[in-house]
Amino acid sequence: MSAPVSSIRNLGPASDTAFARAGIHTAEELRALGADKAYARLLETGTRPHFIGYYVLVMGLQGRPWNDCKGKEKAALRVKFDALKVAHQPAQKPDFERILDEIGIRAAE
């Protein structure tokens, strides 16, 4: 039987939903992908980047409490997070175009 994503330390029910949108449905799938690939998939499916969310995931996959991340380790994770954010965030439409799409003035592409 597969365990839910939320069975991983530091992750809760909202993580189940977010990772499911990214095609990751079990803790086993998440562990196999690893933090960087899994977080990249979250970003690609529209999850807003958040550094704390990233390092909570990293710590959880290591079986550590989220607030165990400090000092040089945290600084190194920030560099990785920033690179992931740039490489995997979907292209954003200008606000004007996005609003027109949301209210149905323009056909969404």
Side-chain angles (χ1 to χ4, degrees):
M1 178 136 211
S2 298
V5 167
S6 58
S7 68
I8 294 173
R9 185 178 189 143
N10 306 327
L11 303 182
S15 297
D16 290 327
T17 303
F19 281 104
R21 274 195 313 271
I24 304 166
H25 301 280
T26 67
E28 293 80 12
E29 290 174 313
L30 182 53
R31 285 187 184 99
L33 281 170
D36 291 353
K37 287 182 182 177
Y39 199 79
R41 290 194 30 197
L42 285 178
L43 294 175
E44 290 166 357
T45 56
T47 297
R48 291 185 66 189
H50 198 284
F51 178 54
I52 295 171
Y54 172 68
Y55 77 71
V56 162
L57 173 61
V58 172
M59 296 292 106
L61 287 173
Q62 294 175 8
R64 296 165 59 193
W66 69 270
N67 57 357
D68 198 31
C69 187
K70 295 181 172 93
K72 289 181 183 180
E73 179 182 30
K74 191 172 187 177
L77 287 177
R78 182 65 198 217
V79 170
K80 290 175 81 173
F81 167 79
D82 288 341
L84 283 167
K85 186 171 67 168
V86 168
H88 296 283
Q89 196 165 14
Q92 300 291 320
K93 292 181 181 180
D95 284 341
F96 180 74
E97 290 181 22
R98 182 185 51 76
I99 292 167
L100 290 176
D101 291 347
E102 285 176 6
I103 62 174
I105 302 296
R106 285 179 3 121
E109 297 172 8

